[in-house]
Structures are given as C-alpha cells and as structure tokens.
Amino acid sequence: MRGQRAGHPVFAAFYDFLTAGAERGPLAPLRRNLVDGLHGSVLDVGAGTGANFPFLAVRSLAQPSLTVYAAEPDPHMLRRARRRAARLGLPVTFLPSSAEALPLGDACMDAVLLTLVLCTVSAPAVALAEVRRVLRPGGTLRFLEHVRVEGSAGRWQQRLARPWAAMAGGCRLDRPTGDTLRQAGFASIDWTDVPAPFPVLRVIAGSARKVG
Ligand SMILES: C[S@@+](CC[C@H](N)C(=O)[O-])C[C@H]1O[C@@H](n2cnc3c(N)ncnc32)[C@H](O)[C@@H]1O
C-alpha cells in the first residue's frame, strides 16, 4: 500500500474537478444537512480538499462559537484544504494526521464529521474507536459514506474494487461501512439511503451519538 506520507498527488490535484458535478448537485444539500445545528468544537476527519468548509463557514456565521479542526494525512490534500479555508476566511486548526491516531485528548470534540472517508482509511473500526474517544459524551458523529450493495451489483463492486482504489486514492467500493458504523458502539445511529450512480450506487447520510 502506498504510504500516507507520500499521499496521492494526482488524485488530490483532480479531486475537486472530478467531484464538481456531484458537489453542485446531490452532495450540496447532504453536506448542508450534515453541519446543521453544529456548535462548539467540530473535527472534520479526512477533510480532503475541504469540501465541507463552505458549509462550516456558513454555519459559523450563525454559530460564532464553532471551532473547526481538520485531520488530513495526505499532504497534497492538506495543502488544498488550507488554501480553501484561507479563501473562505474560515479559521481551521489543521492536523496532518490519520483517523486511526488522532493527536487529540479524550472527550474534547462536540462533533465529528466523516464524509467519504471510511471507504479510504486503512482501518475503519480503529478510526471509529478514535472518533468515539475524542467525542465528549453526548457528542455527535455526522457521516456521509458510500457502502457496498448486495446482489449482482455488489459483485461488480467487488470486481472493480482494486482498479477503482488505484484510481481513486485508495477508496474501496466494497466496504460494508453501515455495518462497521453499527458495530462501533455509538447510540441513536440513524441514516438515510441516497442512491448514487454506478459504481458507487448507495450512499448513507446520518448521525450517531456517543453515550457515557
Ligand atoms: C474521498 S476523499 C474525501 C475528502 C472529504 N472528506 C470530502 O468529503 O470530500 C478521502 C480522504 O480521506 C483521506 N484519508 C485517507 N486515509 C486516511 C486516514 N487513515 N485517516 C484520515 N484520512 C484519510 C484521504 O487523504 C482523502 O483526503
């Protein structure tokens, strides 16, 4: 596997171009919902080029106490995220870190965002344990993730998983991320299914709460 320190310079360079249509279309309202009602300290894990930042910037107008942190291990993504935050005038504390080892204390975040990230992290269950650790009790996880589907379409996702990952910065089409989220020890987990074009096919957008 390619080292996270080296990152994916080509994928990072084309990411915004490749996702522009979806970002202007179906992803915009999903991202807007995701940040709705957030307050206090918010950590965007695997922030990429900062696709959530415009929505966090709007939210911070209504909620000036919002304090944004962004963890991103790929230096090419991180550079673009820094530029986007500067363009938006959004203060962000950047952490050049993996989801599996967040350099943050326990129970310090009011909310964590995971958007299109659990498909790519090396160890989703470890990443979710870290998310739980840094959330304060009662804190919320908001997620927007694609998940593998059943049946013949799911078998196509499995066949395509390796070439897709090679082109898409390590993104796996065939992860049962809904199950992983359910097994991660959160309470009140709930999501909406959103259909997506082949080969992604199914996106889940929802939230969960840390108890205790
Ligand atoms: C498909 S992009 C999504 C970026 C952004 N969250 C979004 O919604 O557009 C996946 C991101 O996860 C990052 N990533 C990969 N492995 C990671 C890990 N172990 N921990 C945190 N982020 C990771 C990648 O560098 C990339 O920026």
Side-chain angles (χ1 to χ4, degrees), residues 4 11 15 23 31 44-48 51-52 72-74 77 97-100 115-117 120-122:
Q4 279 174 352
F11 185 58
Y15 186 74
E23 292 293 347
R31 290 193 193 272
D44 189 357
V45 174
N52 291 319
E72 172 52 61
D74 183 325
M77 290 286 190
S97 316
S98 293
E100 294 90 338
T115 61
L116 310 176
V117 171
T120 304
V121 302
S122 310

Side-chain angles (χ1 to χ4, degrees), residues 54-115:
F55 303 91
L56 289 166
V58 171
R59 179 68 197 149
S60 71
L61 295 177
Q63 190 60 246
S65 73
L66 202 74
T67 309
V68 179
Y69 295 76
E72 172 52 61
D74 183 325
H76 310 283
M77 290 286 190
L78 189 61
R79 199 170 59 247
R80 288 171 171 82
R82 283 186 196 279
R83 285 207 296 258
R84 187 178 303 203
R87 274 201 307 277
L88 290 164
L90 179 71
V92 177
T93 302
F94 286 98
L95 310 167
S97 316
S98 293
E100 294 90 338
L102 295 169
L104 292 165
D106 296 353
C108 61
M109 291 288 145
D110 293 291
V112 173
L113 297 177
L114 286 171
T115 61

Side-chain angles (χ1 to χ4, degrees), residues 23-189:
E23 292 293 347
R24 278 195 303 269
L27 289 179
L30 295 172
R31 290 193 193 272
R32 196 170 299 118
N33 275 349
L34 222 61
V35 306
D36 188 41
L38 294 186
H39 61 87
S41 302
V42 177
L43 170 66
D44 189 357
V45 174
T49 61
N52 291 319
F53 293 176
F55 303 91
L56 289 166
V58 171
R59 179 68 197 149
S60 71
L61 295 177
Q63 190 60 246
S65 73
L66 202 74
T67 309
V68 179
Y69 295 76
E72 172 52 61
D74 183 325
H76 310 283
M77 290 286 190
L78 189 61
R79 199 170 59 247
R80 288 171 171 82
R82 283 186 196 279
R83 285 207 296 258
R84 187 178 303 203
R87 274 201 307 277
L88 290 164
L90 179 71
V92 177
T93 302
F94 286 98
L95 310 167
S97 316
S98 293
E100 294 90 338
L102 295 169
L104 292 165
D106 296 353
C108 61
M109 291 288 145
D110 293 291
V112 173
L113 297 177
L114 286 171
T115 61
L116 310 176
V117 171
L118 291 174
C119 53
T120 304
V121 302
S122 310
V126 177
L128 284 169
E130 272 295 85
V131 167
R132 265 187 70 203
R133 182 184 66 76
V134 302
L135 272 175
R136 67 167 174 77
T140 181
L141 164 63
R142 304 274 177 94
F143 55 86
L144 172 65
E145 295 288 345
H146 62 84
V147 297
R148 81 170 180 216
V149 298
E150 300 299 323
S152 61
R155 286 192 289 281
W156 270 108
Q157 287 181 321
Q158 267 170 341
R159 280 181 211 121
L160 291 174
R162 285 184 67 177
W164 179 269
M167 289 184 308
C171 163
R172 297 287 307 199
L173 283 170
D174 57 349
R175 284 198 170 159
T177 295
D179 297 341
T180 313
L181 279 159
R182 282 200 196 286
Q183 290 155 12
F186 289 93
S188 321
I189 183 160

